[in-house]
Amino acid sequence: MANGTNVTSKTLEILKAFVDKQTEWGVNELARYLNYPPSSLHRILKILKEEDILHMHPSNKKYTIGNEWIRISSVVSSNASIKNVANPFLQKLSLELDQSVYLAIYHKQYKKLSFISRFQSTSALQYLLELGTLQPIHVAASGKAILSYLDEKEIAEIFEQEKVSLEEQKHIWKDIEQIRNQGFSFSLNERRNESIGIGAPLFDATNQVIGSIICAIPINLYKKERKDELISSVIEVAQNISSALGFQKENS
């Protein structure tokens, strides 16, 4: 096995050893496998242990996969699964409406969302939302479609985290009530200026809200006469994705 040329490549080689070869290593054993000096390897293992990427058993001093690595892997796997299910629906929706559509995922541990997938319209004028960046969840159609289906305690924690004023909270609660009644969110100039967003929530097999889909339209390309069509299509696709993820709507 070739030596890594820097700390980053060595770290990746170390992590691959836990995935590709075995899940538990002693320092000397791993050093022989990777052909690394034990002292150099020990320094990297120590950093990974401090970050809880790796865990060291007190009894035998061997390293294994840590809780933070498990958490990261779980999030990546979950997001990848959701993308695999959602992307065919989103691509079809984008083509049918000729509008840009996005998939947003709710990160409960951060109380924020990130966009993880998009399909763009054919228009030269469109608004691009950044993928992979954590963003506030109390603004815009994409965020409020998720926020509206969280419990009140979590919503209050989000308001506190984002330092939302009491006056703004009152307005958002009105939006939440409306979204819960109608099943979709509609926003103007919230996450991007001169843009309209139409969003609908996504639910998983445990009936928990996990994200949203959004149709993002530059305001000068928005045709009011298409509003009902756009809303109906977004809701239908969100429901189809949720069903594919195992969500079963409770009977009222």
Side-chain angles (χ1 to χ4, degrees):
M1 174 129 355
N3 283 334
T5 57
N6 53 47
V7 172
T8 301
S9 62
K10 285 183 177 180
T11 302
L12 291 174
E13 290 290 345
I14 291 167
L15 297 178
K16 287 177 184 177
F18 283 87
V19 174
D20 298 334
K21 184 67 176 175
Q22 60 193 51
T23 58
E24 186 176 86
W25 293 93
V27 176
N28 291 331
E29 180 187 19
L30 183 56
R32 287 193 297 271
Y33 173 71
L34 295 173
N35 193 24
Y36 291 170
S39 59
S40 172
L41 176 63
H42 186 268
R43 285 194 295 271
I44 298 175
L45 290 175
K46 182 181 178 183
I47 294 171
L48 293 172
K49 176 177 174 290
E50 289 171 352
E51 297 295 328
D52 203 21
I53 300 297
L54 296 178
H55 170 75
M56 187 179 71
H57 291 293
S59 56
N60 60 13
K61 305 299 182 185
K62 288 190 175 182
Y63 287 86
T64 188
I65 293 169
N67 289 334
E68 183 63 8
W69 188 352
I70 293 171
R71 183 191 70 80
I72 292 170
S73 300
S74 174
V75 171
V76 171
S77 175
S78 174
N79 287 354
S81 299
I82 294 168
K83 283 177 68 174
N84 289 340
V85 170
N87 277 353
F89 290 99
L90 297 179
Q91 184 175 32
K92 185 171 183 287
L93 178 64
S94 178
L95 288 171
E96 288 178 351
L97 299 180
D98 194 21
Q99 302 291 348
S100 296
V101 296
Y102 288 80
L103 170 63
I105 292 299
Y106 178 51
H107 301 279
K108 189 178 181 70
Q109 67 274 37
Y110 302 116
K111 295 181 174 57
K112 291 181 181 289
L113 67 77
S114 69
F115 298 103
I116 63 171
S117 188
R118 73 176 165 224
F119 291 90
Q120 295 173 229
S121 73
T122 58
S123 172
L125 179 61
Q126 53 189 296
Y127 288 96
L128 294 180
L129 299 172
E130 189 175 358
L131 299 184
T133 302
L134 292 174
Q135 301 196 37
I137 197 171
H138 67 291
V139 298
S142 53
K144 289 178 182 175
I146 302 168
L147 184 75
S148 300
Y149 295 91
L150 300 175
D151 62 44
E152 292 192 8
K153 180 176 180 292
E154 193 161 0
I155 293 173
E157 290 171 351
I158 290 168
F159 286 158
E160 181 179 3
Q161 174 180 289
E162 301 294 343
K163 296 180 172 56
V164 181
S165 70
L166 291 176
E167 188 63 30
E168 188 179 358
Q169 287 182 39
K170 290 178 184 177
H171 291 299
I172 294 174
W173 273 113
K174 288 180 181 178
D175 290 342
I176 287 173
E177 184 177 354
Q178 185 175 19
I179 291 165
R180 287 174 177 175
N181 287 333
Q182 63 192 16
F184 70 91
S185 54
F186 187 93
S187 64
L188 170 64
N189 296 334
E190 289 198 31
R191 205 175 293 277
R192 287 285 185 274
N193 287 330
E194 299 298 315
S195 69
I196 283 174
I198 300 170
L202 298 178
F203 301 91
D204 65 8
T206 67
N207 290 6
Q208 298 298 307
V209 65
I210 56 169
S212 65
I213 65 169
I214 178 179
C215 180
I217 311 168
I219 195 168
N220 58 346
L221 296 182
Y222 174 67
K223 294 179 173 56
K224 193 172 181 180
E225 61 269 23
R226 292 193 70 195
K227 181 178 180 179
D228 289 344
E229 175 200 357
L230 294 168
I231 290 171
S232 176
S233 296
V234 169
I235 291 174
E236 181 181 3
V237 169
Q239 290 174 342
N240 290 340
I241 294 171
S242 295
S243 294
L245 292 170
F247 171 67
Q248 293 184 328
K249 188 173 182 179
E250 296 175 351
N251 293 326
S252 6

PDB file of all heavy atoms in Angstrom, residues 91-106:
ATOM      1  N   GLN A  91     -37.303  15.708 -11.657  1.00  0.00           N
ATOM      2  CA  GLN A  91     -36.921  15.932 -13.058  1.00  0.00           C
ATOM      3  C   GLN A  91     -38.163  16.022 -13.940  1.00  0.00           C
ATOM      4  O   GLN A  91     -38.278  16.907 -14.801  1.00  0.00           O
ATOM      5  CB  GLN A  91     -36.011  14.818 -13.542  1.00  0.00           C
ATOM      6  CG  GLN A  91     -35.486  15.029 -14.955  1.00  0.00           C
ATOM      7  CD  GLN A  91     -34.489  13.960 -15.358  1.00  0.00           C
ATOM      8  OE1 GLN A  91     -34.590  12.814 -14.929  1.00  0.00           O
ATOM      9  NE2 GLN A  91     -33.508  14.322 -16.173  1.00  0.00           N
ATOM     10  N   LYS A  92     -39.103  15.110 -13.722  1.00  0.00           N
ATOM     11  CA  LYS A  92     -40.349  15.117 -14.498  1.00  0.00           C
ATOM     12  C   LYS A  92     -41.139  16.397 -14.237  1.00  0.00           C
ATOM     13  O   LYS A  92     -41.672  17.017 -15.165  1.00  0.00           O
ATOM     14  CB  LYS A  92     -41.175  13.886 -14.123  1.00  0.00           C
ATOM     15  CG  LYS A  92     -42.448  13.696 -14.936  1.00  0.00           C
ATOM     16  CD  LYS A  92     -43.060  12.326 -14.622  1.00  0.00           C
ATOM     17  CE  LYS A  92     -44.299  12.068 -15.462  1.00  0.00           C
ATOM     18  NZ  LYS A  92     -45.457  12.844 -15.043  1.00  0.00           N
ATOM     19  N   LEU A  93     -41.202  16.814 -12.970  1.00  0.00           N
ATOM     20  CA  LEU A  93     -41.924  18.051 -12.623  1.00  0.00           C
ATOM     21  C   LEU A  93     -41.300  19.256 -13.302  1.00  0.00           C
ATOM     22  O   LEU A  93     -42.009  20.118 -13.845  1.00  0.00           O
ATOM     23  CB  LEU A  93     -41.919  18.233 -11.106  1.00  0.00           C
ATOM     24  CG  LEU A  93     -42.589  19.500 -10.566  1.00  0.00           C
ATOM     25  CD1 LEU A  93     -44.079  19.496 -10.869  1.00  0.00           C
ATOM     26  CD2 LEU A  93     -42.349  19.639  -9.069  1.00  0.00           C
ATOM     27  N   SER A  94     -39.972  19.345 -13.273  1.00  0.00           N
ATOM     28  CA  SER A  94     -39.272  20.464 -13.884  1.00  0.00           C
ATOM     29  C   SER A  94     -39.541  20.531 -15.389  1.00  0.00           C
ATOM     30  O   SER A  94     -39.776  21.607 -15.950  1.00  0.00           O
ATOM     31  CB  SER A  94     -37.771  20.355 -13.608  1.00  0.00           C
ATOM     32  OG  SER A  94     -37.070  21.418 -14.228  1.00  0.00           O
ATOM     33  N   LEU A  95     -39.524  19.380 -16.034  1.00  0.00           N
ATOM     34  CA  LEU A  95     -39.772  19.334 -17.481  1.00  0.00           C
ATOM     35  C   LEU A  95     -41.214  19.717 -17.805  1.00  0.00           C
ATOM     36  O   LEU A  95     -41.467  20.464 -18.754  1.00  0.00           O
ATOM     37  CB  LEU A  95     -39.470  17.933 -18.015  1.00  0.00           C
ATOM     38  CG  LEU A  95     -37.986  17.547 -18.072  1.00  0.00           C
ATOM     39  CD1 LEU A  95     -37.831  16.072 -18.413  1.00  0.00           C
ATOM     40  CD2 LEU A  95     -37.244  18.401 -19.099  1.00  0.00           C
ATOM     41  N   GLU A  96     -42.160  19.215 -17.012  1.00  0.00           N
ATOM     42  CA  GLU A  96     -43.570  19.490 -17.290  1.00  0.00           C
ATOM     43  C   GLU A  96     -43.915  20.959 -17.085  1.00  0.00           C
ATOM     44  O   GLU A  96     -44.687  21.538 -17.850  1.00  0.00           O
ATOM     45  CB  GLU A  96     -44.448  18.612 -16.395  1.00  0.00           C
ATOM     46  CG  GLU A  96     -44.446  17.146 -16.803  1.00  0.00           C
ATOM     47  CD  GLU A  96     -45.282  16.288 -15.858  1.00  0.00           C
ATOM     48  OE1 GLU A  96     -45.709  16.811 -14.797  1.00  0.00           O
ATOM     49  OE2 GLU A  96     -45.497  15.108 -16.180  1.00  0.00           O
ATOM     50  N   LEU A  97     -43.351  21.565 -16.038  1.00  0.00           N
ATOM     51  CA  LEU A  97     -43.658  22.967 -15.735  1.00  0.00           C
ATOM     52  C   LEU A  97     -42.690  23.935 -16.397  1.00  0.00           C
ATOM     53  O   LEU A  97     -42.969  25.133 -16.467  1.00  0.00           O
ATOM     54  CB  LEU A  97     -43.639  23.197 -14.218  1.00  0.00           C
ATOM     55  CG  LEU A  97     -44.635  22.401 -13.383  1.00  0.00           C
ATOM     56  CD1 LEU A  97     -44.470  22.747 -11.902  1.00  0.00           C
ATOM     57  CD2 LEU A  97     -46.071  22.669 -13.836  1.00  0.00           C
ATOM     58  N   ASP A  98     -41.557  23.428 -16.855  1.00  0.00           N
ATOM     59  CA  ASP A  98     -40.438  24.248 -17.335  1.00  0.00           C
ATOM     60  C   ASP A  98     -40.062  25.297 -16.295  1.00  0.00           C
ATOM     61  O   ASP A  98     -39.905  26.484 -16.588  1.00  0.00           O
ATOM     62  CB  ASP A  98     -40.764  24.920 -18.666  1.00  0.00           C
ATOM     63  CG  ASP A  98     -39.490  25.485 -19.337  1.00  0.00           C
ATOM     64  OD1 ASP A  98     -38.376  25.012 -18.989  1.00  0.00           O
ATOM     65  OD2 ASP A  98     -39.615  26.395 -20.174  1.00  0.00           O
ATOM     66  N   GLN A  99     -39.917  24.822 -15.062  1.00  0.00           N
ATOM     67  CA  GLN A  99     -39.498  25.660 -13.949  1.00  0.00           C
ATOM     68  C   GLN A  99     -38.387  24.939 -13.180  1.00  0.00           C
ATOM     69  O   GLN A  99     -38.247  23.717 -13.260  1.00  0.00           O
ATOM     70  CB  GLN A  99     -40.667  25.941 -12.992  1.00  0.00           C
ATOM     71  CG  GLN A  99     -41.869  26.599 -13.614  1.00  0.00           C
ATOM     72  CD  GLN A  99     -41.616  28.041 -14.044  1.00  0.00           C
ATOM     73  OE1 GLN A  99     -40.608  28.640 -13.682  1.00  0.00           O
ATOM     74  NE2 GLN A  99     -42.537  28.601 -14.816  1.00  0.00           N
ATOM     75  N   SER A 100     -37.607  25.706 -12.423  1.00  0.00           N
ATOM     76  CA  SER A 100     -36.561  25.117 -11.592  1.00  0.00           C
ATOM     77  C   SER A 100     -37.181  24.558 -10.314  1.00  0.00           C
ATOM     78  O   SER A 100     -37.987  25.225  -9.667  1.00  0.00           O
ATOM     79  CB  SER A 100     -35.507  26.168 -11.231  1.00  0.00           C
ATOM     80  OG  SER A 100     -34.846  26.624 -12.388  1.00  0.00           O
ATOM     81  N   VAL A 101     -36.811  23.336  -9.976  1.00  0.00           N
ATOM     82  CA  VAL A 101     -37.328  22.711  -8.757  1.00  0.00           C
ATOM     83  C   VAL A 101     -36.158  22.216  -7.917  1.00  0.00           C
ATOM     84  O   VAL A 101     -35.106  21.825  -8.444  1.00  0.00           O
ATOM     85  CB  VAL A 101     -38.305  21.551  -9.061  1.00  0.00           C
ATOM     86  CG1 VAL A 101     -39.546  22.074  -9.762  1.00  0.00           C
ATOM     87  CG2 VAL A 101     -37.639  20.475  -9.894  1.00  0.00           C
ATOM     88  N   TYR A 102     -36.352  22.234  -6.611  1.00  0.00           N
ATOM     89  CA  TYR A 102     -35.298  21.885  -5.657  1.00  0.00           C
ATOM     90  C   TYR A 102     -35.824  20.908  -4.614  1.00  0.00           C
ATOM     91  O   TYR A 102     -37.018  20.905  -4.277  1.00  0.00           O
ATOM     92  CB  TYR A 102     -34.803  23.137  -4.920  1.00  0.00           C
ATOM     93  CG  TYR A 102     -33.974  24.068  -5.761  1.00  0.00           C
ATOM     94  CD1 TYR A 102     -34.579  24.953  -6.648  1.00  0.00           C
ATOM     95  CD2 TYR A 102     -32.585  24.073  -5.677  1.00  0.00           C
ATOM     96  CE1 TYR A 102     -33.828  25.814  -7.432  1.00  0.00           C
ATOM     97  CE2 TYR A 102     -31.826  24.938  -6.443  1.00  0.00           C
ATOM     98  CZ  TYR A 102     -32.446  25.803  -7.318  1.00  0.00           C
ATOM     99  OH  TYR A 102     -31.692  26.650  -8.091  1.00  0.00           O
ATOM    100  N   LEU A 103     -34.901  20.116  -4.101  1.00  0.00           N
ATOM    101  CA  LEU A 103     -35.170  19.235  -2.973  1.00  0.00           C
ATOM    102  C   LEU A 103     -34.411  19.765  -1.767  1.00  0.00           C
ATOM    103  O   LEU A 103     -33.191  19.932  -1.813  1.00  0.00           O
ATOM    104  CB  LEU A 103     -34.705  17.809  -3.296  1.00  0.00           C
ATOM    105  CG  LEU A 103     -34.682  16.787  -2.147  1.00  0.00           C
ATOM    106  CD1 LEU A 103     -36.092  16.567  -1.602  1.00  0.00           C
ATOM    107  CD2 LEU A 103     -34.075  15.472  -2.626  1.00  0.00           C
ATOM    108  N   ALA A 104     -35.138  20.057  -0.693  1.00  0.00           N
ATOM    109  CA  ALA A 104     -34.534  20.538   0.550  1.00  0.00           C
ATOM    110  C   ALA A 104     -34.688  19.478   1.631  1.00  0.00           C
ATOM    111  O   ALA A 104     -35.731  18.820   1.725  1.00  0.00           O
ATOM    112  CB  ALA A 104     -35.182  21.837   1.008  1.00  0.00           C
ATOM    113  N   ILE A 105     -33.658  19.319   2.451  1.00  0.00           N
ATOM    114  CA  ILE A 105     -33.671  18.360   3.549  1.00  0.00           C
ATOM    115  C   ILE A 105     -33.544  19.104   4.875  1.00  0.00           C
ATOM    116  O   ILE A 105     -32.747  20.043   4.989  1.00  0.00           O
ATOM    117  CB  ILE A 105     -32.514  17.348   3.394  1.00  0.00           C
ATOM    118  CG1 ILE A 105     -32.762  16.460   2.178  1.00  0.00           C
ATOM    119  CG2 ILE A 105     -32.374  16.473   4.640  1.00  0.00           C
ATOM    120  CD1 ILE A 105     -34.029  15.635   2.246  1.00  0.00           C
ATOM    121  N   TYR A 106     -34.308  18.670   5.859  1.00  0.00           N
ATOM    122  CA  TYR A 106     -34.244  19.261   7.197  1.00  0.00           C
ATOM    123  C   TYR A 106     -33.197  18.545   8.037  1.00  0.00           C
ATOM    124  O   TYR A 106     -33.222  17.316   8.160  1.00  0.00           O
ATOM    125  CB  TYR A 106     -35.605  19.166   7.882  1.00  0.00           C
ATOM    126  CG  TYR A 106     -35.615  19.703   9.298  1.00  0.00           C
ATOM    127  CD1 TYR A 106     -35.120  20.969   9.583  1.00  0.00           C
ATOM    128  CD2 TYR A 106     -36.142  18.956  10.345  1.00  0.00           C
ATOM    129  CE1 TYR A 106     -35.132  21.473  10.875  1.00  0.00           C
ATOM    130  CE2 TYR A 106     -36.171  19.455  11.641  1.00  0.00           C
ATOM    131  CZ  TYR A 106     -35.657  20.710  11.898  1.00  0.00           C
ATOM    132  OH  TYR A 106     -35.663  21.204  13.177  1.00  0.00           O
TER     133      TYR A 106
END
